[in-house]
Amino acid sequence: MNQEYEYSFQVKDVNEFIQYCIDHNYEKVESYHQIRTLFKNGGKIMARITKNTYDNQTVELLNFKDDNLNDETLTVRRETDELMITDDNRNFVTSLIDILDLNTKKVLERNRVVYQKNHVKFEIDDYISPAMKVVAIEGEKEKVDSVYQELQDIIEANKII
């Protein structure tokens, strides 16, 4: 089980964050289209089925995450490893969600670009549904805190409250 340390915030424009990554030698490691379905039942855990479409390949994944969604910029949540969904295990995944009494609560669609350097990862999302732009900075606490502080002027100029 992983623990995620992440700053996440909605912004007016992602271009300055992309430029920051380029100017500070972050490596662009992924770019893909994503549809994520969230399953909840009012408890502390949510299931997520995520379909990532890369240039010519689609991958479908299942994982679970703490459901402590709030309006805080900083979150620390547990997250399971991912299980790749295949034709061989699709019935199991469906029955697992059913037996846990999880219901579809939200479907998110976005385009995501990921930059990474020194255990800090930027996830820059352009949501199609619901329409919005979100930047997340995650990784090791000390490094993420440092990058977040360094970006304060850009964040404050772009952040949607």
mmCIF file of all heavy atoms in Angstrom, residues 8-43:
data_model
loop_
_atom_site.group_PDB
_atom_site.id
_atom_site.type_symbol
_atom_site.label_atom_id
_atom_site.label_comp_id
_atom_site.label_asym_id
_atom_site.label_seq_id
_atom_site.Cartn_x
_atom_site.Cartn_y
_atom_site.Cartn_z
ATOM 1 N N SER A 8 -2.907 19.616 -4.593
ATOM 2 C CA SER A 8 -3.738 19.623 -5.783
ATOM 3 C C SER A 8 -4.620 20.858 -5.743
ATOM 4 O O SER A 8 -5.206 21.179 -4.713
ATOM 5 C CB SER A 8 -4.600 18.355 -5.812
ATOM 6 O OG SER A 8 -5.404 18.344 -6.960
ATOM 7 N N PHE A 9 -4.707 21.539 -6.886
ATOM 8 C CA PHE A 9 -5.480 22.774 -6.920
ATOM 9 C C PHE A 9 -5.976 23.030 -8.335
ATOM 10 O O PHE A 9 -5.332 22.680 -9.317
ATOM 11 C CB PHE A 9 -4.649 23.965 -6.410
ATOM 12 C CG PHE A 9 -3.212 23.927 -6.851
ATOM 13 C CD1 PHE A 9 -2.822 24.543 -8.017
ATOM 14 C CD2 PHE A 9 -2.262 23.255 -6.097
ATOM 15 C CE1 PHE A 9 -1.497 24.502 -8.431
ATOM 16 C CE2 PHE A 9 -0.933 23.215 -6.507
ATOM 17 C CZ PHE A 9 -0.555 23.833 -7.680
ATOM 18 N N GLN A 10 -7.148 23.638 -8.398
ATOM 19 C CA GLN A 10 -7.747 24.015 -9.664
ATOM 20 C C GLN A 10 -7.158 25.347 -10.094
ATOM 21 O O GLN A 10 -6.981 26.253 -9.270
ATOM 22 C CB GLN A 10 -9.258 24.123 -9.503
ATOM 23 C CG GLN A 10 -9.997 24.263 -10.801
ATOM 24 C CD GLN A 10 -11.505 24.243 -10.604
ATOM 25 O OE1 GLN A 10 -12.015 23.876 -9.563
ATOM 26 N NE2 GLN A 10 -12.221 24.662 -11.638
ATOM 27 N N VAL A 11 -6.845 25.465 -11.395
ATOM 28 C CA VAL A 11 -6.204 26.675 -11.915
ATOM 29 C C VAL A 11 -6.932 27.180 -13.161
ATOM 30 O O VAL A 11 -7.679 26.449 -13.798
ATOM 31 C CB VAL A 11 -4.713 26.428 -12.250
ATOM 32 C CG1 VAL A 11 -3.917 26.081 -11.008
ATOM 33 C CG2 VAL A 11 -4.547 25.358 -13.310
ATOM 34 N N LYS A 12 -6.686 28.462 -13.466
ATOM 35 C CA LYS A 12 -7.253 29.072 -14.677
ATOM 36 C C LYS A 12 -6.525 28.587 -15.921
ATOM 37 O O LYS A 12 -7.126 28.424 -16.976
ATOM 38 C CB LYS A 12 -7.144 30.598 -14.600
ATOM 39 C CG LYS A 12 -7.922 31.221 -13.480
ATOM 40 C CD LYS A 12 -7.660 32.723 -13.435
ATOM 41 C CE LYS A 12 -7.325 33.100 -12.012
ATOM 42 N NZ LYS A 12 -6.826 34.431 -11.845
ATOM 43 N N ASP A 13 -5.190 28.400 -15.782
ATOM 44 C CA ASP A 13 -4.352 28.076 -16.932
ATOM 45 C C ASP A 13 -3.210 27.182 -16.473
ATOM 46 O O ASP A 13 -2.612 27.424 -15.422
ATOM 47 C CB ASP A 13 -3.805 29.375 -17.533
ATOM 48 C CG ASP A 13 -3.034 29.171 -18.812
ATOM 49 O OD1 ASP A 13 -3.234 28.154 -19.495
ATOM 50 O OD2 ASP A 13 -2.207 30.046 -19.143
ATOM 51 N N VAL A 14 -2.885 26.159 -17.242
ATOM 52 C CA VAL A 14 -1.809 25.233 -16.871
ATOM 53 C C VAL A 14 -0.472 25.583 -17.523
ATOM 54 O O VAL A 14 0.560 25.006 -17.174
ATOM 55 C CB VAL A 14 -2.173 23.772 -17.226
ATOM 56 C CG1 VAL A 14 -3.379 23.309 -16.439
ATOM 57 C CG2 VAL A 14 -2.377 23.587 -18.717
ATOM 58 N N ASN A 15 -0.460 26.539 -18.445
ATOM 59 C CA ASN A 15 0.751 26.797 -19.230
ATOM 60 C C ASN A 15 1.962 27.199 -18.394
ATOM 61 O O ASN A 15 3.079 26.776 -18.686
ATOM 62 C CB ASN A 15 0.480 27.843 -20.309
ATOM 63 C CG ASN A 15 -0.399 27.271 -21.403
ATOM 64 O OD1 ASN A 15 -0.309 26.096 -21.746
ATOM 65 N ND2 ASN A 15 -1.288 28.092 -21.935
ATOM 66 N N GLU A 16 1.772 28.001 -17.354
ATOM 67 C CA GLU A 16 2.922 28.394 -16.528
ATOM 68 C C GLU A 16 3.491 27.205 -15.759
ATOM 69 O O GLU A 16 4.696 27.157 -15.493
ATOM 70 C CB GLU A 16 2.538 29.513 -15.554
ATOM 71 C CG GLU A 16 2.353 30.854 -16.250
ATOM 72 C CD GLU A 16 2.179 31.983 -15.259
ATOM 73 O OE1 GLU A 16 3.177 32.333 -14.602
ATOM 74 O OE2 GLU A 16 1.054 32.496 -15.160
ATOM 75 N N PHE A 17 2.678 26.243 -15.411
ATOM 76 C CA PHE A 17 3.143 25.050 -14.707
ATOM 77 C C PHE A 17 3.922 24.143 -15.664
ATOM 78 O O PHE A 17 4.943 23.574 -15.289
ATOM 79 C CB PHE A 17 1.971 24.319 -14.061
ATOM 80 C CG PHE A 17 1.286 25.166 -13.029
ATOM 81 C CD1 PHE A 17 0.165 25.899 -13.357
ATOM 82 C CD2 PHE A 17 1.784 25.258 -11.737
ATOM 83 C CE1 PHE A 17 -0.464 26.704 -12.415
ATOM 84 C CE2 PHE A 17 1.171 26.063 -10.786
ATOM 85 C CZ PHE A 17 0.047 26.791 -11.128
ATOM 86 N N ILE A 18 3.434 24.033 -16.886
ATOM 87 C CA ILE A 18 4.165 23.272 -17.904
ATOM 88 C C ILE A 18 5.503 23.945 -18.177
ATOM 89 O O ILE A 18 6.550 23.284 -18.236
ATOM 90 C CB ILE A 18 3.334 23.139 -19.196
ATOM 91 C CG1 ILE A 18 2.129 22.233 -18.934
ATOM 92 C CG2 ILE A 18 4.190 22.619 -20.349
ATOM 93 C CD1 ILE A 18 1.114 22.192 -20.062
ATOM 94 N N GLN A 19 5.508 25.262 -18.295
ATOM 95 C CA GLN A 19 6.743 25.990 -18.536
ATOM 96 C C GLN A 19 7.719 25.816 -17.369
ATOM 97 O O GLN A 19 8.925 25.668 -17.571
ATOM 98 C CB GLN A 19 6.475 27.474 -18.791
ATOM 99 C CG GLN A 19 7.675 28.213 -19.348
ATOM 100 C CD GLN A 19 8.138 27.636 -20.682
ATOM 101 O OE1 GLN A 19 7.355 27.442 -21.605
ATOM 102 N NE2 GLN A 19 9.432 27.338 -20.778
ATOM 103 N N TYR A 20 7.212 25.831 -16.137
ATOM 104 C CA TYR A 20 8.053 25.594 -14.960
ATOM 105 C C TYR A 20 8.732 24.222 -15.073
ATOM 106 O O TYR A 20 9.935 24.093 -14.837
ATOM 107 C CB TYR A 20 7.229 25.663 -13.671
ATOM 108 C CG TYR A 20 8.007 25.268 -12.450
ATOM 109 C CD1 TYR A 20 8.732 26.206 -11.732
ATOM 110 C CD2 TYR A 20 8.049 23.946 -12.015
ATOM 111 C CE1 TYR A 20 9.480 25.851 -10.620
ATOM 112 C CE2 TYR A 20 8.783 23.573 -10.901
ATOM 113 C CZ TYR A 20 9.498 24.524 -10.212
ATOM 114 O OH TYR A 20 10.234 24.160 -9.118
ATOM 115 N N CYS A 21 7.976 23.212 -15.451
ATOM 116 C CA CYS A 21 8.536 21.866 -15.588
ATOM 117 C C CYS A 21 9.633 21.842 -16.649
ATOM 118 O O CYS A 21 10.704 21.254 -16.439
ATOM 119 C CB CYS A 21 7.438 20.865 -15.937
ATOM 120 S SG CYS A 21 6.294 20.537 -14.587
ATOM 121 N N ILE A 22 9.375 22.472 -17.770
ATOM 122 C CA ILE A 22 10.363 22.510 -18.855
ATOM 123 C C ILE A 22 11.604 23.278 -18.408
ATOM 124 O O ILE A 22 12.736 22.809 -18.583
ATOM 125 C CB ILE A 22 9.746 23.140 -20.124
ATOM 126 C CG1 ILE A 22 8.670 22.207 -20.687
ATOM 127 C CG2 ILE A 22 10.818 23.447 -21.171
ATOM 128 C CD1 ILE A 22 7.775 22.840 -21.741
ATOM 129 N N ASP A 23 11.418 24.459 -17.806
ATOM 130 C CA ASP A 23 12.541 25.300 -17.374
ATOM 131 C C ASP A 23 13.379 24.652 -16.281
ATOM 132 O O ASP A 23 14.565 24.972 -16.133
ATOM 133 C CB ASP A 23 12.042 26.658 -16.871
ATOM 134 C CG ASP A 23 11.469 27.517 -17.975
ATOM 135 O OD1 ASP A 23 11.670 27.195 -19.176
ATOM 136 O OD2 ASP A 23 10.781 28.508 -17.659
ATOM 137 N N HIS A 24 12.778 23.745 -15.504
ATOM 138 C CA HIS A 24 13.486 23.119 -14.388
ATOM 139 C C HIS A 24 13.840 21.663 -14.676
ATOM 140 O O HIS A 24 14.079 20.872 -13.760
ATOM 141 C CB HIS A 24 12.663 23.254 -13.103
ATOM 142 C CG HIS A 24 12.611 24.659 -12.623
ATOM 143 N ND1 HIS A 24 11.705 25.582 -13.124
ATOM 144 C CD2 HIS A 24 13.352 25.322 -11.716
ATOM 145 C CE1 HIS A 24 11.907 26.747 -12.536
ATOM 146 N NE2 HIS A 24 12.895 26.610 -11.680
ATOM 147 N N ASN A 25 13.892 21.322 -15.960
ATOM 148 C CA ASN A 25 14.372 20.018 -16.433
ATOM 149 C C ASN A 25 13.584 18.827 -15.916
ATOM 150 O O ASN A 25 14.152 17.755 -15.673
ATOM 151 C CB ASN A 25 15.867 19.847 -16.102
ATOM 152 C CG ASN A 25 16.707 20.916 -16.749
ATOM 153 O OD1 ASN A 25 16.539 21.208 -17.935
ATOM 154 N ND2 ASN A 25 17.582 21.527 -15.982
ATOM 155 N N TYR A 26 12.281 19.005 -15.754
ATOM 156 C CA TYR A 26 11.435 17.854 -15.460
ATOM 157 C C TYR A 26 11.256 17.079 -16.758
ATOM 158 O O TYR A 26 11.155 17.671 -17.836
ATOM 159 C CB TYR A 26 10.073 18.298 -14.939
ATOM 160 C CG TYR A 26 10.090 18.675 -13.482
ATOM 161 C CD1 TYR A 26 10.627 19.890 -13.068
ATOM 162 C CD2 TYR A 26 9.582 17.813 -12.516
ATOM 163 C CE1 TYR A 26 10.655 20.245 -11.727
ATOM 164 C CE2 TYR A 26 9.604 18.164 -11.174
ATOM 165 C CZ TYR A 26 10.145 19.371 -10.785
ATOM 166 O OH TYR A 26 10.175 19.713 -9.466
ATOM 167 N N GLU A 27 11.218 15.777 -16.659
ATOM 168 C CA GLU A 27 11.042 14.930 -17.832
ATOM 169 C C GLU A 27 9.552 14.652 -18.043
ATOM 170 O O GLU A 27 8.849 14.263 -17.105
ATOM 171 C CB GLU A 27 11.776 13.602 -17.635
ATOM 172 C CG GLU A 27 11.622 12.651 -18.787
ATOM 173 C CD GLU A 27 12.267 11.299 -18.523
ATOM 174 O OE1 GLU A 27 12.866 11.097 -17.446
ATOM 175 O OE2 GLU A 27 12.157 10.438 -19.405
ATOM 176 N N LYS A 28 9.102 14.860 -19.258
ATOM 177 C CA LYS A 28 7.725 14.497 -19.597
ATOM 178 C C LYS A 28 7.688 12.981 -19.742
ATOM 179 O O LYS A 28 8.292 12.416 -20.646
ATOM 180 C CB LYS A 28 7.301 15.179 -20.896
ATOM 181 C CG LYS A 28 5.875 14.912 -21.291
ATOM 182 C CD LYS A 28 5.552 15.692 -22.559
ATOM 183 C CE LYS A 28 4.169 15.423 -23.052
ATOM 184 N NZ LYS A 28 3.907 16.187 -24.288
ATOM 185 N N VAL A 29 6.994 12.311 -18.811
ATOM 186 C CA VAL A 29 7.022 10.851 -18.787
ATOM 187 C C VAL A 29 5.754 10.219 -19.357
ATOM 188 O O VAL A 29 5.789 9.060 -19.769
ATOM 189 C CB VAL A 29 7.288 10.296 -17.366
ATOM 190 C CG1 VAL A 29 8.703 10.645 -16.920
ATOM 191 C CG2 VAL A 29 6.280 10.799 -16.356
ATOM 192 N N GLU A 30 4.649 10.956 -19.379
ATOM 193 C CA GLU A 30 3.412 10.404 -19.915
ATOM 194 C C GLU A 30 2.496 11.510 -20.421
ATOM 195 O O GLU A 30 2.525 12.628 -19.915
ATOM 196 C CB GLU A 30 2.632 9.645 -18.836
ATOM 197 C CG GLU A 30 3.253 8.360 -18.366
ATOM 198 C CD GLU A 30 2.351 7.656 -17.373
ATOM 199 O OE1 GLU A 30 2.107 8.214 -16.297
ATOM 200 O OE2 GLU A 30 1.884 6.547 -17.716
ATOM 201 N N SER A 31 1.694 11.135 -21.391
ATOM 202 C CA SER A 31 0.639 12.008 -21.886
ATOM 203 C C SER A 31 -0.462 11.080 -22.398
ATOM 204 O O SER A 31 -0.193 10.218 -23.240
ATOM 205 C CB SER A 31 1.172 12.891 -23.008
ATOM 206 O OG SER A 31 0.154 13.713 -23.505
ATOM 207 N N TYR A 32 -1.671 11.235 -21.855
ATOM 208 C CA TYR A 32 -2.730 10.310 -22.235
ATOM 209 C C TYR A 32 -4.104 10.898 -21.936
ATOM 210 O O TYR A 32 -4.247 11.876 -21.216
ATOM 211 C CB TYR A 32 -2.578 8.966 -21.521
ATOM 212 C CG TYR A 32 -2.436 9.053 -20.018
ATOM 213 C CD1 TYR A 32 -3.546 9.021 -19.188
ATOM 214 C CD2 TYR A 32 -1.180 9.162 -19.432
ATOM 215 C CE1 TYR A 32 -3.410 9.102 -17.814
ATOM 216 C CE2 TYR A 32 -1.032 9.235 -18.058
ATOM 217 C CZ TYR A 32 -2.148 9.192 -17.253
ATOM 218 O OH TYR A 32 -2.018 9.278 -15.894
ATOM 219 N N HIS A 33 -5.102 10.255 -22.520
ATOM 220 C CA HIS A 33 -6.515 10.573 -22.273
ATOM 221 C C HIS A 33 -7.000 9.587 -21.222
ATOM 222 O O HIS A 33 -6.652 8.406 -21.258
ATOM 223 C CB HIS A 33 -7.320 10.417 -23.560
ATOM 224 C CG HIS A 33 -8.771 10.697 -23.390
ATOM 225 N ND1 HIS A 33 -9.282 11.971 -23.350
ATOM 226 C CD2 HIS A 33 -9.824 9.869 -23.233
ATOM 227 C CE1 HIS A 33 -10.581 11.914 -23.184
ATOM 228 N NE2 HIS A 33 -10.942 10.642 -23.110
ATOM 229 N N GLN A 34 -7.817 10.071 -20.285
ATOM 230 C CA GLN A 34 -8.242 9.208 -19.187
ATOM 231 C C GLN A 34 -9.737 9.377 -18.903
ATOM 232 O O GLN A 34 -10.246 10.494 -18.879
ATOM 233 C CB GLN A 34 -7.451 9.557 -17.931
ATOM 234 C CG GLN A 34 -7.774 8.708 -16.733
ATOM 235 C CD GLN A 34 -6.939 9.103 -15.536
ATOM 236 O OE1 GLN A 34 -7.298 10.044 -14.837
ATOM 237 N NE2 GLN A 34 -5.830 8.417 -15.322
ATOM 238 N N ILE A 35 -10.384 8.242 -18.689
ATOM 239 C CA ILE A 35 -11.746 8.228 -18.170
ATOM 240 C C ILE A 35 -11.693 7.435 -16.872
ATOM 241 O O ILE A 35 -11.262 6.282 -16.857
ATOM 242 C CB ILE A 35 -12.744 7.599 -19.163
ATOM 243 C CG1 ILE A 35 -12.790 8.425 -20.454
ATOM 244 C CG2 ILE A 35 -14.130 7.488 -18.524
ATOM 245 C CD1 ILE A 35 -13.638 7.828 -21.551
ATOM 246 N N ARG A 36 -12.091 8.078 -15.778
ATOM 247 C CA ARG A 36 -12.033 7.440 -14.456
ATOM 248 C C ARG A 36 -13.435 7.418 -13.863
ATOM 249 O O ARG A 36 -14.089 8.447 -13.756
ATOM 250 C CB ARG A 36 -11.079 8.183 -13.535
ATOM 251 C CG ARG A 36 -11.099 7.634 -12.108
ATOM 252 C CD ARG A 36 -10.021 8.257 -11.272
ATOM 253 N NE ARG A 36 -8.746 7.631 -11.594
ATOM 254 C CZ ARG A 36 -7.572 8.156 -11.277
ATOM 255 N NH1 ARG A 36 -7.495 9.320 -10.663
ATOM 256 N NH2 ARG A 36 -6.459 7.528 -11.583
ATOM 257 N N THR A 37 -13.853 6.233 -13.458
ATOM 258 C CA THR A 37 -15.136 6.064 -12.784
ATOM 259 C C THR A 37 -14.866 5.832 -11.304
ATOM 260 O O THR A 37 -14.088 4.937 -10.947
ATOM 261 C CB THR A 37 -15.913 4.877 -13.380
ATOM 262 O OG1 THR A 37 -16.058 5.087 -14.786
ATOM 263 C CG2 THR A 37 -17.293 4.763 -12.740
ATOM 264 N N LEU A 38 -15.492 6.652 -10.457
ATOM 265 C CA LEU A 38 -15.349 6.535 -9.013
ATOM 266 C C LEU A 38 -16.552 5.794 -8.452
ATOM 267 O O LEU A 38 -17.694 6.104 -8.788
ATOM 268 C CB LEU A 38 -15.261 7.917 -8.368
ATOM 269 C CG LEU A 38 -14.165 8.847 -8.880
ATOM 270 C CD1 LEU A 38 -14.250 10.189 -8.156
ATOM 271 C CD2 LEU A 38 -12.801 8.222 -8.706
ATOM 272 N N PHE A 39 -16.281 4.824 -7.576
ATOM 273 C CA PHE A 39 -17.311 4.037 -6.922
ATOM 274 C C PHE A 39 -17.214 4.271 -5.422
ATOM 275 O O PHE A 39 -16.121 4.164 -4.844
ATOM 276 C CB PHE A 39 -17.117 2.545 -7.205
ATOM 277 C CG PHE A 39 -17.188 2.189 -8.660
ATOM 278 C CD1 PHE A 39 -16.060 2.249 -9.458
ATOM 279 C CD2 PHE A 39 -18.395 1.802 -9.228
ATOM 280 C CE1 PHE A 39 -16.120 1.911 -10.806
ATOM 281 C CE2 PHE A 39 -18.468 1.472 -10.571
ATOM 282 C CZ PHE A 39 -17.331 1.526 -11.362
ATOM 283 N N LYS A 40 -18.352 4.589 -4.782
ATOM 284 C CA LYS A 40 -18.367 4.886 -3.350
ATOM 285 C C LYS A 40 -19.623 4.300 -2.718
ATOM 286 O O LYS A 40 -20.577 3.974 -3.413
ATOM 287 C CB LYS A 40 -18.359 6.402 -3.111
ATOM 288 C CG LYS A 40 -17.195 7.143 -3.732
ATOM 289 C CD LYS A 40 -17.321 8.628 -3.470
ATOM 290 C CE LYS A 40 -16.240 9.417 -4.169
ATOM 291 N NZ LYS A 40 -16.322 10.848 -3.841
ATOM 292 N N ASN A 41 -19.606 4.226 -1.384
ATOM 293 C CA ASN A 41 -20.813 3.805 -0.668
ATOM 294 C C ASN A 41 -20.970 4.550 0.655
ATOM 295 O O ASN A 41 -21.670 4.083 1.548
ATOM 296 C CB ASN A 41 -20.838 2.293 -0.439
ATOM 297 C CG ASN A 41 -19.785 1.829 0.546
ATOM 298 O OD1 ASN A 41 -19.022 2.624 1.084
ATOM 299 N ND2 ASN A 41 -19.735 0.526 0.781
ATOM 300 N N GLY A 42 -20.319 5.676 0.799
ATOM 301 C CA GLY A 42 -20.418 6.447 2.030
ATOM 302 C C GLY A 42 -19.375 6.081 3.062
ATOM 303 O O GLY A 42 -19.278 6.722 4.098
ATOM 304 N N GLY A 43 -18.591 5.058 2.790
ATOM 305 C CA GLY A 43 -17.542 4.639 3.714
ATOM 306 C C GLY A 43 -16.257 5.407 3.500
ATOM 307 O O GLY A 43 -16.233 6.453 2.851
#
